[in-house]
Amino acid sequence: MNFRSPIVALGAACLFASGCRHEEPRPKADNVTPKAVKLPAGDTAPLGLIVITVDTLRADYLSSYGHARILTPSFDRLASGGILFKQAISQASTTTPSHASIMTSLYLQDHNVYTNFEAVGDAARTLAEVMAGRGFNTFGIVNMNHLNPEVSNLGQGFETFVKSGNMRRAGPTVDKTLEWLDKNGEQPFFAWIHFTDVHTPYNPPPPYDRFYYDDDERDPAKRSLAKIWHLLPSHMTDHPFFQRWLEGITDSEWVMAQYQGAVTYVDDEFGRLLDRLEQMGLLERTAIVLTADHGESLGEHDIYYTHTGLYEPTIHVPLITYFPGAGRQGVQVRDVVESVDIMPTVLEYFDIPVPKGAHGRSLWPLIRGEVQPERVALSEHAGRNLVVLRTDRYKYIKQLRTVHLQPSYPWVEGREELYDLKADPLERRDLARDQNEVMRVFRKELDRRRGDRLNLQVGAAELTDETVEVLRAMGYVR
Ligand SMILES: [Zn+2]
């Protein structure tokens, strides 16, 4: 990685990096008092690994990431015993492409999975394959049809794989995981758990549906949802699935509160998993990684209830790592990191070599508190529509195709955007025409990254009519 040289040439020490250590003591959220995860006193060998992907969970909706209202005591509990990465960037804003990157440590331009209708090729070595090859029992559970093995090919390496059960909730997902752990938790194991509760239709069970809302969501006097209806993509609003969800609803605040309630619901179910691991004596021998495949736009840039685009709400994801017996706890790291870094990091913990070709970097130097070179995250939009380079300070977006998918954000081939995230965290002031030198550096960096691609062959996805219909209902177009 040689992306510091252009910065030096520019003489702009703070273009990508501040050059300083990106680390802060972790502030306590006002509204929660997380119980710390206890770390082992001795040198108990690590036994298990659990990777949790909460579909569509944006980072800033966790209290440990600074949200003032939403309660996430269990996620915060994990952060109190581990490391919270404040600027984790997902490789895509779409489910299968992003999960493919998490599980293979490859960028989209390497594995070439650009939609939820495609499968990872067999040439890409997955985390589960590597762990299984080292004798770990492997278990996966997913809750979207397009993550099922026959569609995504992400079942590679899992000896037990519980397929999607039509948007199964977090509760039964945790039950099934615990059932498996009860039988297999004595031996080395790797479990991947995928939760889907915070994806549309946001539909948390009681009491979470009323947790953040106590008004009348059907009050005809309220007009807030009607006012934004034209901003929702027609492939969503025209679908009966979406219409049924919002039938009779007038208040957009209710929709927001359903997302928020779903976050707290998943957090509570994750807490149940933590408690059970503790009871089983596994918590102190199990590494845990909590992340999301992408976030969600909840009105930013007039994009509502979807993850179209690559603005911060859609690609800034939570990443909390917990490695028992391995050093510091309760620390926040502010360096930019990426989903592709997860695989090399967990493999290093278990002393397993990282497969050749993996593009992520181990997070261990950051976990140990070492100063690391600034990195440039690379994210891409489904269908090869957009590409992003994201540093600590800047976001560079290049629109690659002319597409009018999102009413408020039409893309034009060749158009570029640039945001100074320090001065403009909400990405409202496009500097692409004002910052010629910065743009030049990003264009060069994008060329360099494109030259570095593996360009693997995708696998064969078996798509049933039902899967295609579910994808359509969720707002994905083919
Ligand atoms: Zn997703």
Side-chain angles (χ1 to χ4, degrees):
M1 299 267 180
N2 188 30
F3 47 74
R4 286 183 74 81
S5 54
I7 311 164
V8 175
L10 271 173
C14 286
L15 177 59
F16 284 165
S18 61
C20 54
R21 196 164 160 145
H22 291 168
E23 193 175 288
E24 297 168 359
R26 181 178 168 274
K28 286 263 189 292
D30 293 339
N31 48 7
V32 286
T33 316
K35 181 168 64 164
V37 174
K38 274 185 272 160
L39 291 182
D43 55 351
T44 319
L47 183 74
L49 166 68
I50 299 179
V51 172
I52 293 165
T53 54
V54 185
D55 211 291
T56 322
L57 178 60
R58 48 189 279 176
D60 59 349
Y61 272 53
L62 274 64
S63 49
S64 42
Y65 279 80
H67 203 287
R69 188 165 175 239
I70 299 175
L71 297 172
T72 53
S74 303
F75 297 151
D76 303 345
R77 180 185 172 196
L78 189 73
S80 72
I83 307 284
L84 182 148
F85 292 88
K86 284 192 84 175
Q87 295 197 81
I89 302 298
S90 66
Q91 262 48 75
S93 56
T94 311
T95 304
T96 306
S98 180
H99 277 97
S101 290
I102 293 169
M103 294 301 171
T104 64
S105 190
L106 298 173
Y107 294 101
L108 270 65
Q109 63 176 12
D110 301 315
H111 58 59
N112 268 324
V113 177
Y114 275 89
T115 71
N116 288 332
F117 299 89
E118 289 169 298
V120 181
D122 289 334
R125 201 147 163 76
T126 66
L127 179 57
E129 285 180 296
V130 175
M131 299 297 277
R134 289 291 176 135
F136 284 68
N137 292 328
T138 50
F139 169 87
I141 182 164
V142 300
N143 287 304
M144 282 181 179
N145 285 11
H146 46 288
L147 287 178
N148 284 343
E150 69 275 16
V151 187
S152 67
N153 201 22
L154 282 170
Q156 294 178 73
F158 288 104
E159 40 187 37
T160 305
F161 200 98
V162 183
K163 296 194 338 183
S164 167
N166 194 22
M167 308 286 278
R168 182 194 296 115
R169 287 189 198 270
T173 302
V174 168
D175 288 343
K176 283 184 184 298
T177 306
L178 292 176
E179 222 170 89
W180 185 85
L181 276 174
D182 277 337
K183 291 182 195 137
N184 297 277
E186 297 289 308
Q187 301 297 318
F189 69 88
F190 164 48
W192 167 34
I193 308 169
H194 168 252
F195 292 119
T196 195
D197 305 76
V198 299
H199 194 288
T200 50
Y202 320 134
N203 184 28
Y208 301 94
D209 57 338
R210 293 275 150 193
F211 218 83
Y212 299 104
Y213 189 87
D214 59 3
D215 210 342
D216 177 8
E217 68 272 23
R218 294 169 191 275
D219 180 353
K222 294 187 192 295
R223 302 278 306 143
S224 54
L225 191 59
K227 278 184 191 157
I228 60 168
W229 196 259
H230 67 287
L231 295 168
L232 305 176
S234 59
H235 60 266
M236 285 167 68
T237 53
D238 289 350
H239 201 285
F241 184 77
F242 198 84
Q243 291 166 346
R244 269 200 302 276
W245 172 44
L246 296 178
E247 195 175 1
I249 304 295
T250 56
D251 190 358
S252 61
E253 286 302 314
W254 176 86
V255 183
M256 288 289 282
Q258 300 314 294
Y259 182 86
Q260 296 169 346
V263 173
T264 297
Y265 166 57
V266 174
D267 179 90
D268 274 358
E269 288 300 326
F270 172 66
R272 198 159 65 83
L273 175 70
L274 281 186
D275 287 345
R276 182 77 187 109
L277 286 171
E278 194 168 28
Q279 284 165 12
M280 294 166 79
L282 286 177
L283 189 55
E284 294 171 6
R285 300 188 66 192
T286 302
I288 301 173
V289 175
L290 177 97
T291 192
D293 57 344
H294 52 76
E296 184 82 323
S297 273
L298 295 165
E300 295 86 359
H301 294 89
D302 279 338
I303 302 170
Y304 286 87
Y305 320 142
T306 185
H307 24 277
T308 304
L310 296 170
Y311 291 124
E312 289 296 278
T314 61
I315 59 167
H316 179 207
V317 290
L319 176 60
I320 301 171
T321 62
Y322 164 70
F323 293 108
R328 308 186 307 158
Q329 302 174 54
V331 171
Q332 292 192 344
V333 171
R334 248 203 55 205
D335 295 60
V336 172
V337 300
E338 302 176 86
S339 301
V340 289
D341 300 338
I342 292 170
M343 181 170 168
T345 306
V346 299
L347 290 179
E348 187 174 333
Y349 179 69
F350 287 98
D351 207 15
I352 299 172
V354 179
K356 265 192 186 158
H359 270 135
R361 290 194 304 185
S362 168
L363 297 171
W364 278 98
L366 294 172
I367 293 172
R368 285 192 293 266
E370 295 166 16
V371 177
Q372 286 292 292
E374 175 82 27
R375 71 182 304 154
V376 185
L378 172 69
S379 290
E380 296 190 69
H381 193 272
R384 298 178 173 81
N385 289 321
L386 307 174
V387 62
V388 150
L389 294 174
R390 161 73 157 80
T391 67
D392 184 48
R393 179 168 176 187
Y394 287 109
K395 178 181 280 179
Y396 167 80
I397 303 177
K398 183 158 188 189
Q399 303 179 6
L400 304 174
R401 294 175 62 220
T402 300
V403 184
H404 287 200
L405 190 64
Q406 184 66 37
S408 58
Y409 185 32
W411 304 319
V412 178
E413 185 181 337
R415 190 181 157 224
E416 296 165 296
E417 300 169 64
L418 180 74
Y419 300 96
D420 182 341
L421 299 171
K422 296 285 174 208
D424 176 29
L426 299 178
E427 301 161 285
R428 285 185 172 146
R429 188 168 136 66
D430 181 3
L431 303 173
R433 287 163 188 266
D434 308 330
Q435 298 269 6
N436 289 339
E437 269 308 270
V438 179
M439 293 293 284
R440 191 182 62 77
V441 171
F442 276 111
R443 286 179 194 131
K444 201 170 162 193
E445 173 67 6
L446 183 59
D447 283 349
R448 191 187 71 75
R449 298 291 281 265
R450 288 303 199 203
D452 201 23
R453 64 187 302 199
L454 294 180
N455 201 15
L456 300 176
Q457 179 126 29
V458 293
E462 266 178 52
L463 289 159
T464 61
D465 290 347
E466 188 207 343
T467 300
V468 172
E469 195 47 41
V470 170
L471 279 163
R472 247 191 232 127
M474 291 167 77
Y476 299 109
V477 282
R478 197 178 183 186

